[in-house]
Amino acid sequence: MRDWVQSEWERLGGLALVLLPFTLLFAAATWLRRALYAIRLLPRWRAPVPVVVVGNINVGGTGKTPLTLAILDVLQAKGFTPGAIARGYGRVPPRENDPNGVVRVYPDLATPELFGDEPVLIARRSRVPVYISPDRPAAARALISAHPEVDVLVSDDGLQHYALDRDVELAVVDGERRFGNGLLLPSGPLREPVSRLRRVDAVVMNGGSAETRWNERQFAMRLGAERFSSLTSNQEVAPAEFALMARGRQVVAVAGIGNPRRFFEHLRALGVAARAIVFPDHHHYQASELRLPGAEIVVMTEKDAVKCAAFADARMWYLRVEAQLPREFEDFLLARIAQARARPDGPEAP
């Protein structure tokens, strides 16, 4: 069913027409909600530190988490003390005595089943404070209260969570899939219209061709610096060495991400021939699903790996990648943060 719906979202077919009345209602509700926040009839909370929101207008993955990690790396390298917030998609629902569901994600203790795969990955890779909650302002307040040393907040996803005021809005576009049939939910894959991209501070295009511009500030991003890491040891090898190791062996590639095809094509480009198995995005793996009789090597994404570490065996590897961005993006980001720090209600610049 999921695959069929996604295929329908790629074209103007019968499903889009049948659901069009609901799409018009969703469009009206989306416009009204954004307008109410814009005129402050719905409250927006402003953090005492600059807030960078990394999001998208699509349903599904576009590369937000690699960009979030890259931003955290840039900030740490420049002497900032950043923190990160996220929703924690797929996590266990909040307890009755914790209605906002605010939770700290400890990198060495948190499990994806309880905290969500992306927050756990961010916490482990960046080692910055990470707090999750469906209520973004609540997560931000809790983080700043517990970590007053944090001087920049980065929100992984949250472009549509207008209750949290932001200083920098970044929208990530999948350069290959783009926007499907261009319609809003449920007729298409969009949470907001493509015109929304004109109002963000910058568009970051993940792969694909950059001949189309949706914003005057548009940066190209690609995933690189690849290496393969074992789930059961500290072994890490370069792509060429891994491809040589996999040659002539039964290799299975699994992916439970928003755009699994990109991962499988990436493997092929690195010289790794594998049988591909697709799982739903944010899938919670069971050990039985990865027994895979006959498979001598099982390779997955890093986001999948955090969910398989508890039952991993020696066959399992993951591909670690990093977002590669132009220097102009770093200059733009730091300039915007400096502007935010200089605002009247913001902290003084050091």
Side-chain angles (χ1 to χ4, degrees):
M1 176 61 73
R2 174 180 174 272
D3 292 341
W4 177 74
V5 169
Q6 288 189 335
S7 68
E8 287 293 304
W9 281 349
E10 294 298 318
R11 64 189 185 93
L12 288 170
L15 179 67
L17 296 176
V18 168
L19 296 177
L20 194 57
F22 300 100
T23 296
L24 294 175
L25 289 173
F26 181 80
T30 298
W31 179 88
L32 178 61
R33 178 174 173 271
R34 188 167 60 242
L36 291 175
Y37 275 112
I39 62 177
R40 303 286 174 169
L41 283 181
L42 289 177
R44 303 178 70 169
W45 183 75
R46 177 170 282 281
V49 300
V51 174
V52 180
V53 170
V54 179
N56 62 4
I57 62 171
N58 298 57
V59 172
T62 55
K64 298 184 300 294
T65 300
L67 178 58
T68 298
L69 288 167
I71 290 171
L72 292 170
D73 284 345
V74 167
L75 293 175
Q76 289 176 307
K78 294 299 180 179
F80 290 95
T81 305
I85 59 173
R87 182 187 185 278
Y89 183 87
R91 56 174 292 229
V92 171
R95 299 180 295 275
E96 291 184 4
N97 61 350
D98 184 17
N100 290 327
V102 179
V103 181
R104 166 79 187 270
V105 182
Y106 290 95
D108 300 318
L109 298 176
T111 60
E113 294 80 12
L114 294 178
F115 300 92
D117 46 19
E118 287 153 348
V120 171
L121 175 57
I122 292 169
R124 291 180 181 175
R125 280 275 295 267
S126 69
R127 315 304 287 191
V128 306
V130 178
Y131 280 66
I132 58 173
S133 173
D135 184 337
R136 293 301 201 290
R141 284 193 294 266
L143 192 155
I144 292 170
S145 176
H147 299 275
E149 74 279 6
V150 165
D151 50 16
V152 182
L153 280 178
V154 181
S155 176
D156 181 46
D157 207 355
L159 191 63
Q160 291 78 33
H161 292 264
Y162 295 111
L164 177 64
D165 221 337
R166 65 286 308 265
D167 300 284
V168 187
E169 281 190 329
L170 303 173
V172 186
V173 172
D174 186 323
E176 297 175 358
R177 294 191 303 172
R178 301 206 175 184
F179 313 112
N181 59 22
L183 297 177
L184 295 178
L185 292 166
S187 293
L190 298 185
R191 297 186 279 187
E192 292 187 283
V194 176
S195 60
R196 174 72 169 90
L197 297 178
R198 293 198 297 267
R199 295 191 295 274
V200 300
D201 294 289
V203 168
V204 177
M205 191 167 178
N206 181 16
S209 174
E211 76 276 1
T212 305
R213 297 191 68 85
W214 299 282
N215 189 290
E216 63 179 13
R217 293 184 185 85
Q218 188 161 309
F219 302 97
M221 180 179 85
R222 66 178 183 86
L223 301 180
E226 302 95 342
R227 52 254 198 225
F228 289 87
S229 299
S230 169
L231 268 72
T232 57
S233 72
N234 294 324
Q235 187 177 6
E236 190 173 273
V237 300
E241 184 180 350
F242 187 83
L244 184 62
M245 180 177 69
R247 188 173 302 167
R249 305 174 73 180
Q250 294 295 319
V251 181
V252 174
V254 301
I257 58 175
N259 185 1
R261 186 179 67 180
R262 181 193 295 275
F263 173 62
F264 300 136
E265 291 177 351
H266 199 158
L267 288 177
R268 282 194 290 272
L270 294 175
V272 179
R275 176 167 64 93
I277 299 178
V278 176
F279 290 91
D281 194 14
H282 300 288
H283 181 65
H284 292 303
Y285 291 91
Q286 304 297 317
S288 59
E289 295 173 317
L290 296 185
R291 290 200 181 103
L292 302 173
E296 298 174 84
I297 296 176
V298 179
V299 62
M300 62 191 70
T301 71
E302 189 172 9
K303 194 173 91 166
D304 294 309
V306 300
K307 294 176 286 189
C308 300
F311 54 80
D313 59 53
R315 303 171 304 157
M316 297 183 187
W317 295 74
Y318 68 88
L319 176 62
R320 174 171 172 153
V321 296
E322 295 178 5
Q324 309 289 299
L325 292 150
R327 177 60 185 269
E328 291 77 14
F329 173 80
E330 180 179 319
D331 295 339
F332 155 78
L333 177 67
L334 295 174
R336 282 304 176 95
I337 290 174
Q339 292 173 10
R341 291 172 69 89
R343 70 182 189 233
D345 59 337
E348 295 181 359

